[in-house]
């Protein structure tokens, strides 16, 4: 029997003894090449292996550990954090309104549920909402922003509710990308970055423009670096968008007011659309650090800026003290957007009908929680505990030879730098693997701890990192830190 | 003062007295041109006007009607349909697990809630799930499909949960689109179609290949027409995908088994990836009509087909008797997909982290509702009422001179053909409007009834239609039908 490969089309057609056996329509070679280029390390191969190991443990396979600790993602409830009672009461009331007759539910929860249900078609969260989001929830979001920003007005018409912040970020990028060849839209993102950005840019076929955060200055952002990156990029694309993550993911850096002013001036000078990813706005721990919203700073810089700079800022129900990731709630506020483009944005989001209504309801509670003088006010120790854990993590890592770690000023992650022995680097390269992937994979196999290698976020050539969430409960976090310490020493010795 | 337009870049830069005032970064001219081409009539200008009119009514503006009836979209709860008690009890229990101690909830609802919560990180629906969806829910979906298809096996690994069916459809199309110029992927869609398809194809820059359903044969699909459309398209693109909606939206047609066999044979011969949109699979009303899943027919055609034809089929929580649109639950099952492509699909969905967990929970209940011998079984009259309304609608419209209407065999819509007077067509053309848009807009202004013009779904040149959902309660539906009848006669007279 002889087999001949014909190459008439992009599909592999096998001609076997003259009979054509068609290959698949959809193969790695014939699929969307942009999708093939997408990478998303936070849920990449290391997490798939972690899930496999969990399965093996359940099946009784012997391991040097009894559970896998998934410190790869900021998933508070998965780490044992409890939901806020009031939020969940309102969600239960919205889901099953018969409970509105139940005396066990507090009056303020019922009031909230009634207000949300009254805004739903047929008084049901099972009806589609407006594509931009339920109007009264957008009003509540606008009031929240006004309060946060010391009274600077926010217009509910500029608020778009979304399926988590990721959804809004991708939608906004999609609107902005155009042109071919040297005219293709370039989008500036920080390195290290949250890989949603690089994934979305690959998917959209946009040009990724890297600007580097300065690890030696606590992952600070410097406008000189922005300018360098921009000017280099102008040679091969049309830079139009500047993305900032503040507080930083994975860096944990909280930007100073001065830095934000500089960024705004730069964006205006260079005529860039500014995307401010502020989902960690309530997660600030370090003394002397404070969250400044880009919008507030923009308005305080005067009408020259506030009336012209086009920007979008993003927020989510997934972080802060509530960590309600599974509800996929989020919003963006757009500023100075061309009204015709806004109409296009509204049209675009309408194709997906609406964000999940229960996520919208959750967002409404997050932006408008019970106040200290209201019956359902709940004091939560989550943020204080996170502050403590941020210090603990920094201190612990910095005692390990070969690990250096910036303070976790905000957000939920530490991104320590690890020194890897030359032999380990060589071995990884032999295996076609990133050296920090080799490190993290070995850590997972030996200690059951799942981290994300720094290569998944981007890092300066020749440096290596990992991202770890600080969300595990304090006692467990201590164990994790100790295990990583032991592993690091062992790893260094093994490859020396 | 003189103003000079410079055209150095795609951005409009205004030079006023020598000082350059930059225009917006993001304008209609400089935005993503694919997004500009997106159209989605189901929530288009007519719905925006309907929302405006509702606001005017609330503000006391006098109109010839007291409420707007939105018959533009299949939104059951908005039309007053009540949710299924059991589903909402389980959702309430999942949202607020303290209720698991409450005696008022039936034991079977508690059992379901516990099972779902046990599968969630930290036993909370606020944790992220696996990106493909919670494993035990995918297992339930697979069992549902097996039962539906008379035991043909379904593998949970082939199930991807999604944010409504729309999300999965767009994801699948995205994977499939590649190539440039004459090699660009062509996707065959029916005309009339559900405009998600044309919108997604515009967004992805894929080539839309129209095949026409035969209105004279109850909107039937004929393989001769598929072949005609395919051959014509081969001149300018690479056809790779065939999309079928069965039961049909907006046509209400239910495909016969023979038709489905023909389609499968055609797809195999022409090496097309088949996308079967089967979200209305439980909405079949006409005598002699039955839903046949593409998968079942495929397997019954033997291994020659079942082991090779690549396909995906889609389902949703939004339709059937529950109509839980707001939860955005859905799934797709993929068959014969290249394992490497499946890995890419899994990677792609992981970028958005996970579908809303409450929507996943809702889907679990939909595919596995209480059986007649279980305590929470609820007899629902919804489908019987829809069957009655489907007949009522067809009969009523066919009494109106100038309206002809095929039977509503399934789904939730009627798509009657309307004869428009030449003068009305001329007037619309003068105003740069589709004639059926003029008709629907006038109907909205005069009667407060919101429909979608046929031009939003596609129709044969020179024919005009509208889509109306049959979901309003019977008494209200009768009023709506009467009002449309009166309006149609008036409109015809006015333009004669």
């Amino acid at each position: 029997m002889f087999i001949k490969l014909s190459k008439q089309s992009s599909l592999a057609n096998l001609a076997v003894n003259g009979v054509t056996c068609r290959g698949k329509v959809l193969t790695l070679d014939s699929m969307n090449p942009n999708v093939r280029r997408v990478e998303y390390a936070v849920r990449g191969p290391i997490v798939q292996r972690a899930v496999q190991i969990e399965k093996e443990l359940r099946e009784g396979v012997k391991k040097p550990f009894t559970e896998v600790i998934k410190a790869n993602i900021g998933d508070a409830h998965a780490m044992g954090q409890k939901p806020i009672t009031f939020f969940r009461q309102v969600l239960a009331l919205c889901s099953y309104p018969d409970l509105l007759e139940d005396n066990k539910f507090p009056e303020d929860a019922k009031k909230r549920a009634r207000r949300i249900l009254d805004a739903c078609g047929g008084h049901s969260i099972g009806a589609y909402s407006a594509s931009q989001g339920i109007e009264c929830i957008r009003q509540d979001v606008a009031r929240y922003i006004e309060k946060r920003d010391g009274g600077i007005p926010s217009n509910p018409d500029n608020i778009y509710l979304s399926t988590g912040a990721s959804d809004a970020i991708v939608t906004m990028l999609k609107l902005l990308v155009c042109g071919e060849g040297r005219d293709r839209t370039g989008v500036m993102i920080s390195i290290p970055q949250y890989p949603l950005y690089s994934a979305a840019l690959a998917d959209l076929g946009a040009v990724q423009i890297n600007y580097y955060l300065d690890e030696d200055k606590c992952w600070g952002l410097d406008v000189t670096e922005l300018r360098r990156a921009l000017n280099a990029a102008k040679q091969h694309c049309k830079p139009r968008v500047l993305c900032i993550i503040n507080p930083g993911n994975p860096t944990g850096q909280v930007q100073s007011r001065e830095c934000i002013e500089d960024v705004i001036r730069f964006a205006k000078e260079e005529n860039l659309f500014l995307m401010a990813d502020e989902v960690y706005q309530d997660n600030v721990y370090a003394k002397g650090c404070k969250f400044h919203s880009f919008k507030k700073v923009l308005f305080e810089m005067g009408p020259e800026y506030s009336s012209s700079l086009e920007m979008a800022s993003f927020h989510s129900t997934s972080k802060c003290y509530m960590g309600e990731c599974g509800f996929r709630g989020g919003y963006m506020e757009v500023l100075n957007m061309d009204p015709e483009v806004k109409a296009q944005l509204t049209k675009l989001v309408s194709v997906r009908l609406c964000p999940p209504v229960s996520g919208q309801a959750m967002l409404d509670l997050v932006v408008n929680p019970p106040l200290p003088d209201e019956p359902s006010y709940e004091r939560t120790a989550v943020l204080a505990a996170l502050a403590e854990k941020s210090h603990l993590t920094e201190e612990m890592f910095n005692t390990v030879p070969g690990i250096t770690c910036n303070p976790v000023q905000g957000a939920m992650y530490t991104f320590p730098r690890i020194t890897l022995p030359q032999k380990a680097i060589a071995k990884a390269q032999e295996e076609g693997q990133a050296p920090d992937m080799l490190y993290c994979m070995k850590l997972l196999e030996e200690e059951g701890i799942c981290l994300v290698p720094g290569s998944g976020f981007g890092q300066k050539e020749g440096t290596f990192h990992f991202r770890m969430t600080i969300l595990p409960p304090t006692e467990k976090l201590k164990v994790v830190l100790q295990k990583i310490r032991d592993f690091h020493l062992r790893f260094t010795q093994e490859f020396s």
Side-chain angles (χ1 to χ4, degrees), chain A:
Chain A
M1 190 175 107
F2 92 110
I3 292 179
K4 185 176 87 187
L5 271 170
S6 79
K7 268 233 158 179
Q8 287 176 307
S9 73
S10 66
L11 311 167
N13 291 328
L14 284 175
V16 181
N17 290 347
V19 181
T20 299
C21 318
R22 285 224 186 86
K24 299 263 186 208
V25 180
L26 187 57
T27 65
L28 217 47
D29 288 335
S30 72
M31 67 178 275
N32 185 333
N34 287 347
V35 171
R36 213 169 44 213
R37 278 190 283 271
V38 164
E39 285 181 24
Y40 187 70
V42 174
R43 294 205 150 187
I46 198 146
V47 183
Q48 285 166 25
R49 178 66 191 133
V51 171
Q52 222 168 28
I53 292 178
E54 279 181 325
K55 213 170 172 182
E56 290 169 16
L57 281 173
R58 278 197 304 273
E59 288 162 357
V61 179
K62 278 268 174 297
K63 302 268 174 194
F65 46 86
T66 53
E67 66 162 336
V68 176
I69 298 170
K70 288 197 204 134
N72 58 300
I73 193 166
D75 190 353
H77 292 198
M79 286 292 175
Q81 188 181 306
K82 293 286 160 249
I84 304 295
T85 307
F86 179 76
F87 293 2
R88 295 310 198 87
Q89 285 174 331
V90 177
L91 260 296
L93 290 161
C94 287
S95 300
Y96 185 45
D98 284 14
L99 294 172
L100 287 165
E101 307 305 318
D102 191 321
N103 293 330
K104 265 182 290 183
F105 282 81
E107 212 37 62
D108 52 352
K110 289 183 184 174
K111 200 173 149 195
R112 290 300 187 85
R114 276 194 206 99
R115 180 161 177 270
I116 292 168
L117 289 172
D118 285 346
C120 290
H123 304 274
S124 168
I125 60 169
Y128 292 119
S129 78
S131 301
Q132 196 175 345
I134 293 173
E135 195 175 355
C136 77
I137 299 182
R138 288 189 287 113
Q139 285 163 356
D140 285 352
V141 169
R143 275 196 291 264
Y144 160 81
I145 294 171
E146 286 177 354
K147 200 170 153 191
R148 180 196 72 189
D149 290 341
I152 292 163
S154 172
N155 182 347
D157 285 348
N158 290 337
I159 309 292
Y160 287 78
L161 307 192
S162 58
T163 309
S166 304
D167 172 40
I169 290 168
V170 172
T171 299
M172 200 57 238
L173 285 172
K174 180 181 280 181
L175 267 185
L176 279 156
V177 171
C178 67
E180 293 302 328
R182 285 188 54 172
D183 282 335
R184 192 69 181 159
T185 296
V187 178
M188 304 185 73
I189 64 170
S190 63
I191 298 295
Q193 52 117 14
Y194 175 55
L196 168 70
Y197 290 91
S198 51
L201 297 180
D203 183 352
L204 292 165
V207 180
Q208 174 177 327
I209 306 171
N210 296 339
Y211 64 88
Y212 289 83
L213 303 175
D214 189 347
E215 184 164 15
D216 295 334
K217 290 184 180 153
C218 199
W219 295 114
L221 167 56
D222 192 88
V223 170
T224 320
E225 168 58 12
L226 286 180
R227 203 170 303 279
R228 179 207 61 76
L230 184 82
N231 287 336
K234 279 179 179 169
Q235 308 304 314
H236 62 274
C237 71
K238 190 160 272 169
R240 298 180 73 199
V241 191
L242 171 57
C243 300
I244 306 273
I245 312 175
N246 178 52
N249 176 5
T251 63
Q253 205 247 356
V254 178
Q255 291 180 348
S256 69
R257 214 201 122 91
E258 292 65 44
C259 173
I260 292 172
E261 281 185 19
D262 288 348
V263 169
I264 290 174
R265 250 180 245 115
F266 172 79
K268 184 166 160 64
E269 265 168 49
E270 299 291 348
N271 220 26
L272 299 171
F273 191 104
L274 187 65
M275 289 179 51
D277 179 340
E278 303 181 320
V279 300
Y280 295 100
Q281 57 189 263
D282 298 304
N283 295 85
V284 176
Y285 318 116
K287 274 210 182 100
C289 281
K290 201 183 155 222
F291 171 72
H292 304 275
S293 80
F294 269 83
K295 184 184 177 189
K296 181 162 191 261
V297 176
L298 180 73
F299 274 73
E300 289 172 354
M301 288 168 75
E304 187 195 344
Y305 291 92
S306 66
S307 67
S308 67
L309 190 84
E310 291 154 81
M311 73 167 262
S313 88
F314 305 90
H315 199 15
S316 159
T317 61
S318 304
K319 310 302 167 187
C320 189
Y321 62 89
M322 59 284 173
E324 293 280 12
C325 315
F327 281 87
R328 314 306 296 121
Y331 76 79
M332 70 172 154
E333 181 183 29
V334 298
L335 294 174
N336 293 314
M337 188 179 265
D338 184 313
E340 288 181 317
V341 175
K342 256 185 72 179
Q344 294 283 326
L345 171 57
T346 305
K347 176 191 75 177
L348 181 61
V349 297
S350 77
V351 177
R352 297 292 188 95
L353 297 165
C354 68
V357 176
S358 47
Q360 296 185 47
M362 180 57 84
L363 180 67
D364 191 52
L365 304 167
V366 164
V367 296
N368 193 13
L371 298 175
D373 60 345
E374 289 178 320
S376 289
Y377 176 73
E378 189 169 343
R379 193 180 298 270
T380 155
V382 171
L383 291 175
L386 279 173
E388 192 199 326
K389 290 188 270 190
S390 73
H391 303 311
L392 182 74
T393 305
E394 179 199 351
E395 275 164 30
M396 172 63 160
F397 275 146
N398 282 324
T399 66
V400 186
I403 299 186
T404 52
C405 175
N406 271 316
V408 183
Q409 298 177 332
M412 297 180 165
Y413 316 98
T414 175
F415 195 66
R417 181 162 170 180
I418 46 177
T419 309
L420 300 184
Q422 207 46 52
K423 275 192 198 160
I425 298 172
K427 180 165 189 253
Q429 279 161 348
E430 248 171 58
E431 293 171 1
Q433 208 175 25
D436 45 17
M437 174 62 99
L438 173 92
Y439 179 95
C440 289
M441 209 51 121
K442 221 166 140 56
L443 173 69
L444 173 64
E445 297 287 350
E446 294 180 11
E447 300 286 355
I449 294 169
C450 180
L451 306 178
V452 192
S455 44
F457 304 88
Q459 53 200 352
K460 236 186 194 161
E461 182 84 27
T463 68
F464 305 106
H465 302 78
F466 59 74
R467 188 186 82 162
M468 182 189 92
T469 177
I470 59 167
L471 283 172
T474 309
E475 286 317 304
K476 190 174 262 185
L477 181 65
K478 283 182 186 162
V479 175
V480 170
L481 292 170
Q482 190 59 51
K483 283 184 165 200
I484 295 175
R485 181 200 157 91
D486 295 347
F487 169 80
H488 186 83
L489 299 175
R490 214 163 59 230
F491 183 92
T492 307
Q493 199 153 32
E494 188 183 333
F495 287 97
S496 287

